[in-house]
């Protein structure tokens, strides 16, 4: 490449987005992705939007692979999209997040260099203020200890709005669990990846921007997040740890109708949860316990709203 020439496209990464009824945010994100020097392929799963999202994407971004399953698949819409991915790495973002120029190239380089690295999570910058998201401190100060070759702090989960993952690792883990649907669905996949010998890392040189959509139901998100935290706990934590975490949540979440709905919904799911329960071995449980202790002291994860 001659001096001053623009960087060549990077064929290693495909971007996957799920969306529902957020046409303006999605179109903004697609415009910004189209300007990236990496020129990534993009796959969008439209989860049955009613606001003309699919029509707008087909009209304005004909190069985007648009999937319209006809119903709201939640996070499983990402599983559908990854079936169409032919690159070694898949970059997840939401319809209200977008990758910084060069971030996907950095991700590809880090994943190329370390064959047991499943995923790298970016530093999240909240717009328009330009400040770090509160979860960044949790990623940066992760209590986990990983092998010395990791390109950043070892982490025990990831954020699907800000992570680039090895496509084969995603498929090996089975994608996002359909039972959880949406809301904290990453925790279960991350644990299953760790169990299979994969590592996850926070890479602050990668940057993604987040301008939170105003079209969101924070209470519904809290219900789903708390329900899925309980289901994950019952699916993967040993009995004593699962009981301890359940009792801690009972004692600390807001005593309101939303929390009651979350616990009631979680209770109704117990039959399938118990059928699929597979507690992690002691080495993974030690990591999960360390993460739980750190999260209790942080401010990024609160079941409020």
């Amino acid at each position: 490449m001659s001096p001053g020439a623009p960087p060549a496209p990077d064929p290693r990464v495909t971007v996957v987005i799920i969306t529902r009824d957020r046409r303006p945010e999605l179109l903004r994100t697609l415009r910004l992705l189209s300007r990236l020097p990496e020129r990534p392929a993009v796959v969008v799963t439209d989860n049955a939007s009613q606001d003309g999202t699919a029509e707008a994407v087909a009209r304005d971004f004909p190069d985007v692979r648009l999937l319209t399953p006809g119903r709201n698949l939640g996070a499983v819409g990402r599983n559908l999209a990854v079936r169409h991915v032919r690159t070694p790495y898949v970059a997840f973002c939401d319809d209200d997040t977008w990758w910084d120029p060069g971030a996907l190239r950095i991700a590809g380089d880090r994943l190329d260099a370390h064959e047991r690295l499943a995923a790298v999570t970016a530093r999240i910058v909240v717009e328009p203020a330009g400040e770090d998201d509160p979860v960044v401190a949790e990623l940066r100060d992760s209590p986990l200890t990983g092998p010395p070759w990791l390109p950043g702090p070892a982490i025990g989960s990831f954020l699907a709005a800000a992570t680039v993952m090895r496509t084969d690792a995603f498929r090996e883990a089975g994608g996002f669990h359909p039972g959880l649907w949406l809301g904290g669905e990453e925790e279960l996949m991350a644990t299953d990846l760790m169990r299979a010998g994969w590592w996850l890392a926070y890479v602050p040189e990668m940057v993604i921007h987040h301008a939170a959509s105003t079209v969101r139901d924070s209470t519904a998100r809290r219900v789903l997040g708390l329900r899925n935290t309980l289901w994950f706990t019952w699916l993967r934590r040993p009995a004593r740890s699962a009981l301890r975490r359940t009792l801690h949540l009972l004692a600390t979440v807001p005593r309101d109708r939303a929390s009651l709905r979350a616990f009631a919904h979680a209770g109704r799911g117990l039959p399938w949860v118990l059928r699929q329960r597979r507690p992690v071995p002691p080495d993974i449980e030690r990591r999960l316990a360390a993460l739980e202790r750190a999260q209790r002291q942080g401010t990024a994860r609160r079941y409020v709203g």
Side-chain angles (χ1 to χ4, degrees):
M1 185 172 68
S2 61
D10 192 323
R12 295 175 293 178
V13 182
T14 298
V15 176
V16 160
I17 306 171
I18 57 173
T19 190
R20 177 175 168 83
D21 290 333
R22 292 186 183 178
R23 182 178 60 179
E25 290 93 337
L26 176 63
L27 295 181
R28 176 193 59 198
T29 290
L30 292 177
R31 281 195 299 272
L32 292 166
L33 292 176
S34 72
R35 299 170 187 166
L36 291 178
E38 295 94 332
R39 307 292 291 179
V42 180
V43 184
V44 171
T45 299
D46 177 34
N47 276 326
S49 294
Q50 302 296 311
D51 65 349
T53 290
E55 294 81 1
V57 172
R59 180 189 67 239
D60 296 346
F61 297 94
D63 292 336
V64 168
R65 182 69 178 263
L66 175 65
L67 307 177
T68 54
R71 58 193 178 95
N72 188 355
L73 298 177
V76 180
R78 299 191 191 102
N79 299 0
L80 176 62
V82 173
R83 294 179 194 169
H84 298 269
V85 170
R86 299 294 178 263
T87 54
Y89 310 128
V90 54
F92 297 108
C93 69
D94 283 348
D95 47 22
D96 59 357
T97 65
W98 60 91
W99 291 96
D100 203 49
L104 299 181
R105 196 179 304 276
I106 293 170
D109 291 346
R110 301 298 184 272
L111 290 163
D112 276 355
H114 307 292
E115 64 179 12
R116 292 312 298 170
L117 181 61
V120 285
T121 294
R123 180 168 68 90
I124 304 166
V125 175
V126 178
E127 302 297 349
E131 301 172 346
D132 283 357
D133 187 285
V135 78
V136 167
E138 186 177 299
L139 298 168
R140 182 192 64 225
D141 302 327
S142 170
L144 301 189
T145 300
W149 53 258
L150 280 180
I155 55 178
S157 189
F158 63 94
L159 295 98
T163 293
V164 181
M165 183 172 290
R166 196 176 297 274
T167 307
D168 286 347
F170 181 92
R171 290 173 175 153
E172 179 184 327
F176 292 102
H177 194 293
L180 272 60
W181 190 66
L182 188 68
E185 66 277 2
E186 302 96 334
E187 192 171 22
L188 181 58
M189 177 186 279
T191 297
D192 289 345
L193 285 167
M194 290 191 293
R195 186 177 203 159
W198 293 101
W199 289 91
L200 316 170
Y202 168 59
V203 177
E205 308 94 274
M206 295 166 52
V207 174
I208 195 165
H209 302 267
H210 181 208
S213 173
T214 58
V215 185
R216 59 170 57 198
D217 184 337
S218 59
T219 300
R221 289 169 65 91
R222 173 159 68 95
V223 171
L224 291 173
L226 178 53
R227 179 202 68 179
N228 286 349
T229 294
L230 290 164
W231 279 348
F232 161 75
T233 299
W234 301 341
L235 282 164
R236 292 293 182 264
R237 303 292 295 275
R240 184 174 297 180
S241 298
L243 177 61
R244 183 185 65 245
R245 193 177 193 196
T246 301
L247 292 175
H248 174 76
L249 290 169
L250 275 169
T252 57
V253 299
R255 297 182 179 275
D256 60 12
R257 188 167 297 178
S259 296
L260 180 62
R261 284 168 52 200
F263 272 89
H265 197 171
R268 289 195 296 272
L270 263 177
W272 77 261
V273 168
L274 294 177
R275 285 195 302 271
Q276 297 187 26
R277 176 172 164 76
R278 193 162 60 99
V280 296
D283 61 322
I284 303 299
E285 169 56 22
R286 284 191 290 271
R287 295 189 213 173
L288 297 180
L291 289 167
E292 182 184 350
R293 289 192 296 270
Q295 288 167 7
R296 288 186 186 184
Q297 298 169 3
T299 60
R301 300 169 191 254
R302 291 287 182 269
Y303 295 103
V304 296

